Amino acid sequence: MRDYHTSKRILITGGAGFLGSHLCDRLLAQGNEVLCADNLFTGGKHNLEHLHDHPRFEFIRHDVTFPLYVEVDEIFNLACPASPIHYQHDPVQTTKTSVHGAINMLGLAKRVGARILQASTSEVYGDPEVHPQTEAYWGHVNPIGIRSCYDEGKRCAETLFFDYHRQHNVKIKVARIFNTYGPRMHPNDGRVVSNFIMQALRNKPITIYGKGTQTRSFCYVDDLISALVKLMGSAPDFTGPVNLGNPDEFTISQLAEKVVELSGSKSTVEYKALPADDPMQRRPDISLARSQLDWEPAMQLDEGLLRTIRYFDGLLAK
């Protein structure tokens, strides 16, 4: 039998990924036992190397589209490729990961009575017609586009979470995560921060899709992890969905200028056609997170970019 004490045994699916590995660190630092499940499609063991000998950490190679039978107190369901390059590589599998993965993890939570958090996404809002986006906005999503496997998969996962909550009294939390960046991002994930930094460090042209006037909001990973932990520990009747991200809005051109300046790069800028269904505006309204979680981001973009640039510079030096 398990030795029940004040710490918890927590499952993190997708725990070898960018966000998942940082969450492993945070929960272990709080004294919990952490079980990390990941099929390593986009995650990597290198993100967890420093934890291999940790007495309260366990890694299991597992795909969430199959059931997992473990005994845990809490589940953070982060499993799913999150960048267009990765989730469009096998769109059917991406949808299965969101939908079958949610069903399997909700079934586990129901069986063991665990509280479960779904890492949803700002992509549920699609190319929004409301700005900034509040949780009450239902979104403007193309259900048959090249991004639909991710956008609609995450929307369906939210549906499943709330139906399990209403029908089976499963204790749920749903986080809608906006653009997040920081160390351990995949260098080739195609996201704007990693793209710009890798191009700048190599003194290659900075590729901007469209005119660079589209906007994004960038949350540093440490801030986002704090929000996830606060959400999981919030009052039982607060299920979300809740927007988690940085409300400061920047154009893509402004981001490119900052990356070039902070990295000391000689890169120039080149423009290419905007991909299909790429949203023109993205900024969270985090009023709900402020009031219910007493949370807002603390890291300024320049400092967060400097830390991320140092990380990628270290990767290139290896």
Side-chain angles (χ1 to χ4, degrees), residues 102-103 105-111 113-118 156-174 234-241:
I103 291 170
M105 291 304 107
L106 285 162
L108 173 61
K110 177 187 172 186
R111 181 178 69 82
R115 182 176 288 198
I116 181 169
L117 182 149
Q118 167 68 3
C156 184
E158 287 196 14
T159 300
L160 286 162
F161 265 68
F162 279 90
D163 284 339
Y164 265 79
H165 174 63
R166 287 184 288 257
Q167 186 173 341
H168 300 299
N169 298 313
V170 174
K171 296 169 283 189
I172 68 165
K173 306 286 180 181
V174 176
S234 62
D237 60 346
F238 181 65
T239 59

Side-chain angles (χ1 to χ4, degrees), residues 113-146:
R115 182 176 288 198
I116 181 169
L117 182 149
Q118 167 68 3
S120 191
T121 172
S122 60
E123 299 296 340
V124 300
Y125 299 123
D127 189 2
E129 298 171 317
V130 172
H131 192 75
Q133 294 80 58
T134 69
E135 293 84 356
Y137 178 52
W138 289 356
H140 177 226
V141 178
N142 178 359
I144 58 170
I146 60 172

Side-chain angles (χ1 to χ4, degrees), residues 181-198:
Y181 71 100
R184 300 183 197 162
M185 290 185 79
H186 196 294
N188 301 312
D189 64 6
R191 297 192 212 186
V192 65
V193 172
S194 50
N195 266 7
F196 285 3
I197 292 176
M198 292 296 287

